[in-house]
Amino acid sequence: MELYLKKNRVFYFEGDEVIANSGCSYEISDRLGAGGNGVVYECIDQNGSIYAIKFLLHFTEKSRKRFGQEISLMKRLHHPHIIKYIDDGFVNLRENRRSPQEQQALFVIMEKADLNLKDLLSQTSKIAYDLYAPQFRGLCEALMEIHRFAIHRDIKPENILVKGETWVLSDFGLCEFLNADEHCDITGENEKVGPVFWISPEAVNKYYFGMNDIGTYSDVYQMGMIFALVLTKRFPGGILNGDEFTGTDKFIVNIILRALANDYTKRPENGEALLELINDATINR
């Protein structure tokens, strides 16, 4: 089996299936995508159920720790708007078919989605209130669940997947556990934390000046960016005001503007606080 990370990097292992830690086997099928450190394929279990399998193909100790934290968090999260953990394990790979040297590649198996939010928005002229309102509530519920354990830190359109009609949060590779005894801080001193276009103001301050801790309020900022993108189909940079959201419920607009405050003390502090506001705007009025 060949795993393609990038055009010039191909990894090999024997056969066309992997055995997970649970003892279940999964046949590897089509390639779904790749990032800087790994690649995602479709896989099928013995019962014919189809999932996605993500292989870590960056073999540093730092990357392994981060991937281990991602799997640890996924195992704890249970919500219909969070990608579901299925299994995990490792496989021995060679970067050259003839090389005797092998690398141990960790993998995690999860639900397979249909597409991501970026692709959905590019295919849709406008998303109606009846669709986005329950999805906003669901994503806030998902964020509240995540904030029981960790800060996500990497919320962007590519990491919100669409499964049927449900939008689900995924990709916990940058998560930071709230319990300091559990979290292993593997982010470098001058390393950016978060997606380049969706990073919170305090994450930028931390990178440039070493000030402002990244907190649950930073996830609220990133989620506010997502909501604004869905409603306007434009990148929500610069100074926004209510006029940017033509035809949108003013109560939802006000929540988004609060979530995008540069001063994090003026935002909802976490997923639970954001959910309460969204519920008030979409259910309780």
Side-chain angles (χ1 to χ4, degrees):
M1 178 74 193
E2 299 177 344
L3 297 179
Y4 290 87
L5 178 59
K6 296 178 180 177
K7 287 183 179 179
N8 61 340
R9 295 206 73 185
V10 184
F11 298 87
Y12 305 90
F13 67 94
E14 298 297 327
D16 57 3
E17 68 176 21
V18 298
I19 308 295
N21 290 333
S22 66
C24 295
S25 64
Y26 300 86
E27 182 181 351
I28 310 303
S29 182
D30 298 331
R31 184 177 184 271
L32 301 177
N37 295 327
V39 64
V40 181
Y41 277 76
E42 182 180 276
C43 68
I44 306 167
D45 71 6
Q46 302 102 311
N47 300 316
S49 298
I50 299 174
Y51 302 111
I53 180 169
K54 179 163 82 170
F55 293 92
L56 177 69
L57 300 181
H58 197 239
F59 304 110
T60 66
E61 187 62 25
K62 176 178 175 179
S63 294
R64 292 177 185 276
K65 286 181 179 178
R66 180 169 280 169
F67 200 71
Q69 288 186 166
E70 178 176 7
I71 293 172
S72 175
L73 181 58
M74 288 183 71
K75 289 179 177 180
R76 305 179 197 195
L77 299 174
H78 304 284
H79 192 276
H81 287 268
I82 296 175
I83 200 70
K84 184 180 178 182
Y85 163 87
I86 302 298
D87 214 336
D88 68 279
F90 66 90
V91 64
N92 292 321
L93 301 178
R94 292 186 178 92
E95 196 162 359
N96 185 309
R97 284 188 187 275
R98 297 182 179 85
S99 172
Q101 186 175 3
E102 292 184 329
Q103 294 274 17
Q104 188 182 87
L106 304 176
F107 65 77
V108 63
I109 298 169
M110 67 200 91
E111 287 182 300
K112 180 178 179 289
D114 303 311
L115 70 169
N116 62 41
L117 185 60
K118 173 181 175 290
D119 294 332
L120 176 67
L121 291 175
S122 69
Q123 299 171 12
T124 309
S125 57
K126 185 176 181 179
I127 296 180
Y129 175 90
D130 289 346
L131 175 58
Y132 74 70
Q135 300 309 318
F136 283 8
R137 291 194 296 268
L139 289 174
C140 290
E141 289 176 5
L143 198 59
M144 182 174 71
E145 170 72 4
I146 292 166
H147 285 169
R148 292 174 57 210
F149 308 103
I151 308 164
H152 190 290
R153 306 199 300 182
D154 196 19
I155 299 172
K156 59 183 179 180
E158 293 88 344
N159 287 345
I160 296 177
L161 305 181
V162 181
K163 191 175 189 300
E165 294 186 351
T166 304
W167 300 358
V168 297
L169 269 171
S170 70
D171 203 329
F172 305 100
L174 285 184
C175 72
E176 177 182 353
F177 282 101
L178 296 174
N179 184 342
D181 294 334
E182 264 189 296
H183 185 69
C184 177
D185 191 359
I186 51 182
T187 303
E189 185 175 346
N190 294 315
E191 183 179 348
K192 294 185 182 72
V193 180
V196 60
F197 297 119
W198 310 92
I199 195 168
S200 67
E202 50 275 14
V204 178
N205 290 337
K206 189 175 183 66
Y207 172 71
Y208 277 108
F209 310 115
M211 59 184 287
N212 290 151
D213 287 334
I214 299 168
T216 54
Y217 42 78
S218 307
D219 286 349
V220 169
Y221 179 89
Q222 291 183 325
M223 191 64 78
M225 294 276 281
I226 294 297
F227 291 171
L229 178 72
V230 170
L231 296 180
T232 66
K233 289 199 69 176
R234 296 192 303 274
F235 178 73
I239 300 174
L240 296 179
N241 58 60
D243 296 338
E244 306 283 341
F245 300 85
T246 306
T248 302
D249 182 285
K250 66 178 182 179
F251 295 95
I252 295 178
V253 172
N254 288 336
I255 293 168
I256 292 173
L257 294 178
R258 282 185 60 182
L260 295 179
N262 185 276
D263 181 351
Y264 66 81
T265 65
K266 296 180 179 179
R267 298 178 212 146
E269 64 178 342
N270 52 32
E272 182 178 9
L274 184 59
L275 174 63
E276 183 177 349
L277 293 174
I278 289 291
N279 281 345
D280 285 343
T282 62
I283 296 177
N284 300 332
R285 269 196 306 113

